[in-house]
């Protein structure tokens, strides 16, 4: 009798800074593990040595303007390394993968945020990764005002976060709009609620995937 490895699922968590992505990634991983699956937890930009080096470039402050196209290409350079070296091999072994930010962050930040046309990102994605997208994307939704209050309690803001609040309002709206395009793949969670409530909602979403 042959045993078949159950195919792992690729889950991403998205939302503006401080909304609670990192706080919920381990909860998702625990649920998957408790159901008897192996899980890989990772993040973008990053996840491999080259991709983490690119992350440092993206988050550092230089005395030089960075263009939206430069950001986009650096992000995709990192993403290709990450997908080909980490995510696809894990899925091929039947593991689940949970990733803190992925392609939707690019549509939100470089698309709505920096004004790069969505079709340009679509064609770059198609060239770089074909039709590879997550099985499920959880979008944590809260206002930038709420999210930034949370961040400021812990640390200084980075280059992206110093952008004006209205930049993050556009990002938030873009995430909601993207989610509307594919109700099957996206789940929007009200992240302005207390962490315990957010975790309960996420638990429900993950249990439903099993
Ligand atoms: N639902 C919540 N209610 C109150 N505080 C929260 C909630 N979720 C997370 N926090 C707190 O908000 C802060 C930011 O959370 P977290 O680091 O998980 O956000 P993030 O989305 O990963 O941010 P970043 O994009 O900067 O990585 C943390 O101090 C965390 O404890
Ligand atoms: Mg985080």
């Amino acid at each position: 009798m042959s045993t078949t490895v159950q195919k792992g699922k690729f889950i991403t968590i998205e939302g503006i800074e401080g909304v609670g992505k990192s706080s919920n990634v381990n909860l998702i991983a625990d649920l998957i593990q408790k159901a008897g699956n192996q899980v890989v937890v990772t993040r973008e930009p990053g996840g491999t040595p080259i991709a983490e080096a690119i992350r440092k470039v993206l988050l550092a402050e230089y005395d030089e303007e960075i263009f939206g196209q430069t950001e986009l290409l650096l992000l995709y350079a990192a993403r290709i390394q990450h997908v080909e070296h980490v995510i696809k091999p894990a899925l091929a072994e039947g593991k689940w993968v949970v990733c803190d930010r992925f392609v939707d962050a690019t549509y939100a930040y470089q698309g709505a945020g920096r004004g790069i046309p969505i079709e340009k990102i679509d064609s770059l994605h198609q060239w770089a990764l074909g039709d590879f997208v997550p099985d499920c994307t959880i979008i944590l939704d809260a206002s930038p005002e709420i999210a930034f209050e949370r961040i400021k309690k812990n640390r200084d803001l980075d280059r992206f976060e110093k952008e004006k609040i209205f930049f993050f309002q556009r990002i938030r709206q873009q995430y909601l709009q993207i989610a509307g395009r594919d109700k099957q793949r996206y789940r929007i969670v009200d992240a302005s609620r207390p962490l315990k409530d957010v975790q309960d909602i996420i638990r429900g979403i993950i249990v439903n995937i099993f």
Side-chain angles (χ1 to χ4, degrees):
M1 200 174 78
S2 67
T3 51
T4 46
V5 178
Q6 202 205 336
K7 197 179 171 298
K9 300 251 191 249
F10 179 28
I11 298 173
T12 57
I13 186 157
E14 297 275 2
I16 61 170
E17 273 84 341
V19 85
K21 298 178 295 297
S22 303
S23 306
N24 287 291
V25 152
N26 289 333
L27 165 81
I28 298 172
D30 277 355
L31 292 168
I32 294 169
Q33 251 166 347
K34 282 186 183 130
N37 305 291
Q38 284 185 285
V39 63
V40 172
V41 176
T42 185
R43 68 163 181 190
E44 284 219 340
T48 78
I50 291 174
E52 290 289 335
I54 296 171
R55 179 190 179 94
K56 287 203 183 90
V57 172
L58 282 161
L59 296 183
E61 296 203 43
Y62 296 96
D63 190 15
E64 174 185 336
E65 182 194 354
I66 185 160
F67 299 106
Q69 295 97 315
T70 309
E71 254 178 34
L72 178 65
L73 293 170
L74 285 170
L75 282 162
Y76 263 89
R79 183 162 298 143
I80 293 166
Q81 294 301 115
H82 189 209
V83 168
E84 300 299 341
H85 281 310
V86 177
I87 300 176
K88 281 186 181 171
L91 293 171
E93 288 171 16
K95 293 175 185 161
W96 289 54
V97 177
V98 182
C99 190
D100 188 337
R101 289 194 186 285
F102 194 62
V103 294
D104 299 296
T106 306
Y107 283 93
Y109 284 79
Q110 282 66 46
R114 300 261 180 242
I116 294 178
I118 294 300
E119 312 80 67
K120 297 265 186 220
I121 304 176
D122 278 341
S123 60
L124 177 59
H125 183 90
Q126 192 60 38
W127 177 76
L129 295 173
D131 56 8
F132 184 80
V133 288
D135 296 296
C136 174
T137 296
I138 295 171
I139 295 180
L140 298 181
D141 179 59
S143 71
E145 288 84 355
I146 290 178
F148 280 27
E149 274 313 307
R150 290 177 186 170
I151 293 178
K152 280 195 280 183
K153 285 186 189 151
N154 295 319
R155 60 172 174 82
D156 293 334
L157 302 181
D158 71 25
R159 180 172 72 78
F160 282 95
E161 293 157 355
K162 285 181 186 162
E163 302 276 350
K164 296 182 185 73
I165 282 277
F166 88 97
F167 175 89
F168 288 94
Q169 279 160 352
R170 286 213 307 275
I171 312 278
R172 179 191 188 191
Q173 289 314 317
Q174 179 79 338
Y175 270 130
L176 295 176
Q177 211 172 323
I178 295 168
R181 289 201 304 219
D182 185 349
K183 299 234 162 60
Q184 192 69 21
R185 180 178 139 207
Y186 296 95
R187 297 282 183 279
I188 298 170
V189 174
D190 180 358
S192 67
R193 297 167 68 167
L195 185 56
K196 193 195 159 298
D197 293 3
V198 173
Q199 289 178 331
D200 286 344
I201 299 167
I202 290 178
R203 204 169 280 120
I205 293 170
I206 300 300
V207 165
N208 249 318
I209 299 176
F210 292 139

